[in-house]
């Protein structure tokens, strides 16, 4: 899915592989592997491509649902892994011009996941474990049932405090972040 969507987005924008490499800071050879479906991208790589192309992550990772009933089985989802975080994109939702991405997020203990920032607002609901999030110059510790939201355009980080943390991450993009052509791509 990523390879086909990446190539289609690049073609839509008339961007060469070399130009995308320059904008994203990702080697041209790595981009070529991703487009051919043979690469294994990290969270950082996918977010860097999203930022470089000016599209939401879901524009690179998902296809539109084909029916009114949508069941998503986590066993069939690709996992984006970072230093401490594993993300599975469950769903892409659009409403009143805004775009939302719903993720199953697992934070592994023993490491800190750093993000340089990206468009949108992150909404976190902790399902199990205890999580420390540092964002907007503040540090918060969260437990099961707790909720935290913050604008994600500045650096932020996550750290599991007592074993693995399971949470739901809702990434909300404002209307001006994603292009109106987002729905024009329907790939198998």
């Amino acid at each position: 899915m990523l390879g086909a969507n990446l190539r289609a987005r690049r073609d839509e924008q008339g961007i060469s592989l070399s130009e995308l490499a320059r904008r994203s800071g990702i080697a041209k050879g790595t981009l070529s592997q991703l487009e051919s479906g043979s690469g294994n991208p990290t969270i950082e790589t996918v977010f860097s491509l999203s930022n470089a192309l000016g599209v939401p992550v879901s524009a690179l990772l998902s296809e539109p649902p084909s029916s009114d009933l949508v069941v998503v089985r986590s066993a069939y989802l690709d996992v984006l892994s970072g230093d401490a975080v594993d993300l599975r994109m469950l769903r892409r939702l659009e409403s009143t011009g805004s775009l939302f991405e719903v993720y199953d997020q697992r934070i592994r203990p023993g490491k800190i996941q750093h993000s340089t920032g990206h468009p949108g607002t992150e909404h976190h609901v902790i399902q199990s474990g205890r999580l420390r999030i540092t964002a907007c110059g503040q540090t918060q510790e969260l437990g099961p049932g707790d909720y935290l939201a913050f604008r994600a355009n500045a650096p932020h980080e996550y750290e599991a405090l007592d074993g693995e943390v399971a949470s739901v991450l809702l990434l909300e993009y404002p209307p001006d972040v994603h292009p109106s052509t987002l729905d024009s791509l329907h790939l198998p």
Side-chain angles (χ1 to χ4, degrees), residues 17 21 24-32:
L17 208 55
S24 66
I26 299 168
K28 186 176 173 181
T30 301
L31 292 174
S32 181

Side-chain angles (χ1 to χ4, degrees), residues 39-53:
N40 186 17
T42 64
I43 292 171
E44 294 83 5
T45 298
V46 174
F47 272 87
S48 181
L49 290 169
S50 167
N51 288 335
L53 290 168

Side-chain angles (χ1 to χ4, degrees), residues 32 39 62 65 68 118 124 133 150 160 175 185:
S32 181
S62 69
D68 291 336
H118 52 84
H124 296 265
I133 296 180
F150 60 90
L185 183 63

Side-chain angles (χ1 to χ4, degrees), residues 65-122:
S66 58
S67 75
D68 291 336
L69 176 66
V70 177
V71 176
V72 179
R73 305 276 185 211
S74 65
Y76 302 117
L77 297 176
D78 290 333
V79 178
L80 293 174
S81 293
D83 291 334
V85 173
D86 294 322
L87 285 178
R88 289 181 176 84
M89 191 173 69
L90 299 171
R91 185 73 195 263
R92 174 180 173 250
L93 307 164
E94 288 195 63
S95 175
T96 61
S98 291
L99 175 68
F100 301 89
E101 297 169 346
V102 182
Y103 293 91
D104 169 50
Q105 177 174 251
R106 306 295 164 133
I107 299 96
R108 296 182 305 277
K111 293 198 176 187
I112 297 174
Q113 182 71 44
H114 301 277
S115 172
T116 59
H118 52 84
T121 299
E122 290 191 11

